[in-house]
Amino acid sequence: MLLSALLGGAASARPVAIGGVRQSAALDSRQFAGGEALAVWTLPRLGVAVRNDPQDLRLQFTRQQVTRELRFSPQTGWRAVGFTLNAKLPLPELAGGSLFVPLQALTLLGVTVTADAPDLLDFAAPAQVPAETLPPSPTTATPASPVTPTPSPAAVTPTPVTPSPALPAPTPPAPVPPAPTFTPVASLGTVRVSRALHRTVEVQRVVLELNVPDARLVPLTVTREAAGLIVTLPGVSAAPVTQKLESGDQLSVQPTATGAAVRLGTGGGRSEIFTLDNPARVVIDTTTYTDTRVPPPINPDALAPGVTYRQQGKLHLLSFDPAQYQTRVVSAPAGRTSGVADLVRSVGGVAGVNGGYFDPASSLPVDLVAVGGLMTAGSLEKRATLGVTARGDTLFGYPRPRYVLSGTDSQGAPFSVTVNSVRARPAPDLLTAFVGDGRSSVGADGLTTLYAAPGSGAVLRALTGPVTPPAGTLSFTFDPARYPHLPRSAGAPLTVSLNWRADAPWDGAVDALSAGPLLLQGGKVVLDPAREGFNTSASIWRPTRQVAFGTLGGQPTIAYLEHGSPETFAAALAGAGLRDAVRLDSGSSATAYVTGGYADLGGYLNTVWSRSVPNALVLVPRPGTAAARR
């Protein structure tokens, strides 16, 4: 039953399996008028040695120490060597640059078909895969049983006639590529293709197997084109092949006067070429970002040293070796937003996650932001905050930071005053602070503005009226009548300090970011929305994409939950073994990014693009470490 089905041909082309393993679509059979057929270049995978030449085709198969061979040429038709050919075989067919032979030929050679179903053609795995291309047929052939070829209806050869003077001569057949005129140092054997899709990033590998002990014997060259590349293999013999791959890329192999040329049309994908030995191979890895509407995923096999990725269900974790990386708060220019990846790249970071809540209309943070010891946004003084020390250690808690100005007045009396607010807008009854952005104006008629710096010990400049502090300049604005003890001239003694007023030691903090709620403390869930002033019936508490920053095994860790409520998130983090964690702005802002990825596209834990944000927590290499030298 199996043999008769194979001889009769299938109703349509079918996928091919070898030893029960389904092969690439490039190996699918093809349907012609004479029946179902396979490309000659695929037959070595079935254990058939071949000479892939339409003028001198050879198929040779050895089974149980018995060798059978079929030969074909346009002059003699099919001929059998080592057995008697009693069946009429359809002619070989040329399609898409590949030469195809009927399945009946494989059956006559003794190739075993283990399963012949309407939707699959499964061959037995061969004992070995032939490594060499068969040489040309001997001029004096081994006695063979000739069979007069019976052409298929689609490949009938017209009877030659002598044209009359009044009729044009018949069109000559297309020229066949000439045989190489060089002495080959190697031959191109099997071409293997694999493809994997990671979210919307396609990774394709083409392996050219060379029948040579060492790939270095073939000094290949690579020519890149706008839509692909050409690999030139000098001294390598090859049969012509053209194939459309499963990815849609076009692969062609053509013999040249000095070797072979392999052209891969990638349609804009990024390709890397390298060689491997034992056996000798040329490998072409092509990465194509197929849909830019979806963020590219992380590549767990291409993470920077000291970066670890874990996944538990819908929870994803990126952890960082604290000996190699430290956390920083990185902000976009005041009143602007930026993509997290851009904020990471701006400071040479390796990864980052979006920061705290902000007002979409103004792009300004609504809670504490401190960078490098300067408080750029004031604190609501009630929500969970992440702090970072100068050494890069992380702190979790509820600080209520304020600037404190101290010194001695003009009468020599000591003073200490707490700054009321951090903002650009002046208020005659308040002492306000602001870190200049180079654009925003502070002060007003009748008000004094002092430029100062933490640790400087003196006033840098004293100005009256509206002024625009340079970017990064710390300024204090006040009404001299209400604060007569504050200095009003440059050089006057003034000490500026940042009092964290925290429930734990925060004196070493230089960066800080408030968000909330605090999810874990000491490995236990401590979620308390009422303490932090969260409305659990509002959208901020809805189940959505969640992000957090915490510690796992002493390592700073970015956490991303695909979907869930804050309660679900806290429970998942505790179950994963995190010690401390604070939730960051989630939902449409949730972004967790790491450098590297497939073809250096970078990778995201979030599967949808998120909006740009005013700040982020970024992991940067510690100076002097291997990570910093990368």
Side-chain angles (χ1 to χ4, degrees), residues 12-19 21-31 36-47 98-101 103 106 120-123 126 129 190-194 207 241-247 251:
S12 60
R14 291 182 286 176
V16 171
I18 300 176
V21 179
R22 183 163 174 166
Q23 304 296 298
S24 164
L27 273 70
D28 287 1
S29 68
R30 293 280 292 272
Q31 191 66 225
E36 195 172 10
L38 288 178
V40 174
W41 67 270
T42 69
L43 301 185
R45 303 188 186 197
L46 307 180
S98 295
L99 186 63
F100 287 79
V101 294
L103 290 182
L106 303 182
L120 186 67
L121 184 62
D122 192 359
F123 293 93
V129 175
T190 303
V191 178
R192 295 185 286 109
V193 182
S194 61
V207 180
V241 173
T242 300
Q243 185 69 41
K244 186 174 183 180
L245 306 182
E246 183 182 1
S247 63
L251 175 68

Side-chain angles (χ1 to χ4, degrees), residues 240-310:
V241 173
T242 300
Q243 185 69 41
K244 186 174 183 180
L245 306 182
E246 183 182 1
S247 63
D249 294 350
Q250 194 81 9
L251 175 68
S252 65
V253 180
Q254 294 296 330
T256 68
T258 59
V262 179
R263 186 185 187 283
L264 181 62
T266 62
R270 177 176 174 178
S271 298
E272 295 182 1
I273 301 95
F274 57 94
T275 59
L276 297 173
D277 289 323
N278 299 319
R281 288 153 288 167
V282 177
V283 182
I284 308 172
D285 282 345
T286 303
T287 303
T288 306
Y289 191 8
T290 62
D291 188 352
T292 57
R293 295 172 299 177
V294 179
I298 71 166
N299 180 357
D301 298 325
L303 295 173
V307 181
T308 305
Y309 169 70
R310 304 173 179 86

Side-chain angles (χ1 to χ4, degrees), residues 406-431:
S406 59
T408 55
D409 61 19
S410 58
Q411 305 301 317
F415 70 87
S416 178
V417 60
T418 299
V419 177
N420 300 106
S421 175
V422 177
R423 65 184 190 185
R425 187 175 66 256
D429 55 338
L430 298 178
L431 170 58

Side-chain angles (χ1 to χ4, degrees), residues 181-469:
T181 58
F182 57 90
T183 301
V185 299
S187 63
L188 177 59
T190 303
V191 178
R192 295 185 286 109
V193 182
S194 61
R195 175 177 178 264
L197 193 63
H198 306 277
R199 201 177 291 172
T200 60
V201 176
E202 176 191 79
V203 179
Q204 173 182 266
R205 169 164 287 187
V206 175
V207 180
L208 311 173
E209 296 186 352
L210 302 176
N211 299 318
V212 63
D214 190 335
R216 289 173 294 183
L217 296 175
V218 182
L220 63 89
T221 59
V222 179
T223 303
R224 295 188 182 271
E225 303 176 322
L229 55 90
I230 299 174
V231 179
T232 303
L233 303 170
V236 175
S237 62
V241 173
T242 300
Q243 185 69 41
K244 186 174 183 180
L245 306 182
E246 183 182 1
S247 63
D249 294 350
Q250 194 81 9
L251 175 68
S252 65
V253 180
Q254 294 296 330
T256 68
T258 59
V262 179
R263 186 185 187 283
L264 181 62
T266 62
R270 177 176 174 178
S271 298
E272 295 182 1
I273 301 95
F274 57 94
T275 59
L276 297 173
D277 289 323
N278 299 319
R281 288 153 288 167
V282 177
V283 182
I284 308 172
D285 282 345
T286 303
T287 303
T288 306
Y289 191 8
T290 62
D291 188 352
T292 57
R293 295 172 299 177
V294 179
I298 71 166
N299 180 357
D301 298 325
L303 295 173
V307 181
T308 305
Y309 169 70
R310 304 173 179 86
Q311 180 179 359
Q312 294 187 9
K314 294 182 178 181
L315 178 65
H316 304 257
L317 303 170
L318 282 170
S319 298
F320 305 86
D321 179 2
Q324 299 188 60
Y325 302 98
Q326 63 186 59
T327 309
R328 285 182 56 184
V329 175
V330 179
S331 295
R336 301 178 188 176
T337 59
S338 181
V340 170
D342 294 329
L343 294 173
V344 170
R345 287 190 288 264
S346 70
V347 293
V350 69
V353 60
N354 63 283
Y357 305 103
F358 65 99
D359 173 27
S362 65
S363 298
L364 294 174
V366 297
D367 209 339
L368 170 66
V369 178
V371 179
L374 296 178
M375 188 163 50
T376 58
S379 172
L380 297 178
E381 301 187 2
K382 61 182 177 181
R383 290 189 173 162
T385 302
L386 172 78
V388 184
T389 69
R391 294 175 48 192
D393 299 328
T394 51
L395 307 168
F396 297 87
Y398 297 94
R400 296 175 293 121
R402 296 282 191 92
Y403 284 115
V404 176
L405 306 183
S406 59
T408 55
D409 61 19
S410 58
Q411 305 301 317
F415 70 87
S416 178
V417 60
T418 299
V419 177
N420 300 106
S421 175
V422 177
R423 65 184 190 185
R425 187 175 66 256
D429 55 338
L430 298 178
L431 170 58
T432 60
F434 183 70
V435 176
D437 55 21
R439 296 180 294 110
S440 301
S441 176
V442 301
D445 291 341
L447 300 183
T448 297
T449 297
L450 306 178
Y451 292 173
S456 67
V459 175
L460 302 178
R461 293 188 66 184
L463 306 161
T464 59
V467 295
T468 302

Side-chain angles (χ1 to χ4, degrees), residues 7 10 43 50 68 133 172 188 234 257 277 302 307 328 342 360 385 403 464-465 486 539 567 595 613 615 622 626:
L7 291 174
L43 301 185
V50 302
R68 289 188 169 193
T133 298
L188 177 59
D277 289 323
V307 181
R328 285 182 56 184
D342 294 329
T385 302
Y403 284 115
T464 59
L486 290 178
S539 62
E567 290 85 355
T595 56
V613 293
N615 49 58
R622 289 186 181 273

